[in-house]
Each structure stands twice: as C-alpha cells, then as structure tokens.
C-alpha cells in the first residue's frame, strides 16, 4: 500500500513537472496541487471494503488458532460453511491452518 501511494505521488509529480515545464509559476502550482492529489489517493485507505476485508483476515486467523487447539475442539470433524465475507474468513482460516501445518 505504501508503494502504491508513493508510485501515485511520484507519477503525478512527474506528469505535472513535464507538462508544466520548470517555470517558477508551474513549480508553485505544483507545490499546491501535489498534496491535494496525495490526499485524494489516500481516500481509499479507509473505505468499508478494505476495513471488512482486513477484519475477515483477522477473524480467519483467530478461527484457525481455535480450530488448531485440541483442547477446545478435540478430535471432532469440523465443517466450515460461509458466504461472502464468511467465505473469505474460511479462506484465511485455511491458509493459517496450512501455515501451522494443522491442515490435513
């Protein structure tokens, strides 16, 4: 995400500098418009989809730890069913179980 913001900022600066030349007036305009473009590009950092997707990842990791705990679950088989974000939680859960070498 940091690389994406840096790339957008640098490409905006480069495009503005090439289009405007190096005149003193264009440099002053660039100094004003560059922060505005940076702020606009960061508007997507906290949109609802990204927040929910991150929470689904965290929930999947927590679920994996619970399922890997033999005292909590025992040897019973567990069926995971999910739709939409629930499926995303299951996906991250299975990834975490695989990393923990508990996925058989």
């Amino acid at each position: 995400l940091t690389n994406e913001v840096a790339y957008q900022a640098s490409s905006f600066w480069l495009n503005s500098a090439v289009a405007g030349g190096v005149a003193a007036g264009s440099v002053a305009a660039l100094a004003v418009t560059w922060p505005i473009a940076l702020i606009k590009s960061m508007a997507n950092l906290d949109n609802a989809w990204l927040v929910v997707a991150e929470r689904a990842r965290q929930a999947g990791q927590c679920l994996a730890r619970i399922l890997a705990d033999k005292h909590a679950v025992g040897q019973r088989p567990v069926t995971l069913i999910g739709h939409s974000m629930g499926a995303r939680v299951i996906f991250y859960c299975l990834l975490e179980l695989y990393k923990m070498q508990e996925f058989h």
Side-chain angles (χ1 to χ4, degrees):
L1 190 59
T2 305
N3 291 339
E4 181 181 341
V5 171
Y7 174 75
Q8 287 181 358
S10 63
S11 66
F12 174 79
W13 181 83
L14 182 62
N15 290 339
S16 298
V18 169
V22 289
S26 65
V27 172
L30 179 63
V32 172
T33 58
W34 183 76
I36 294 170
L38 187 61
I39 291 169
K40 283 183 181 179
S41 69
M42 290 185 180
N44 291 330
L45 290 179
D46 289 330
N47 73 15
W49 173 258
L50 294 176
V51 171
V52 172
E54 176 62 21
R55 287 185 183 165
R57 184 188 63 78
Q58 292 172 353
Q61 291 174 342
C62 289
L63 180 61
R65 284 189 221 108
I66 291 169
L67 292 177
D69 184 13
K70 300 298 183 207
H71 297 291
V73 178
Q75 297 297 323
R76 298 178 301 218
V78 176
T79 303
L80 302 174
I81 300 172
H83 178 268
S84 190
M85 276 299 153
R88 198 172 184 94
V89 170
I90 293 170
F91 173 75
Y92 286 117
C93 173
L94 294 175
L95 282 178
E96 189 69 20
L97 285 172
Y98 182 77
K99 288 178 190 175
M100 297 166 56
Q101 298 178 349
E102 292 286 335
F103 185 61
H104 305 297

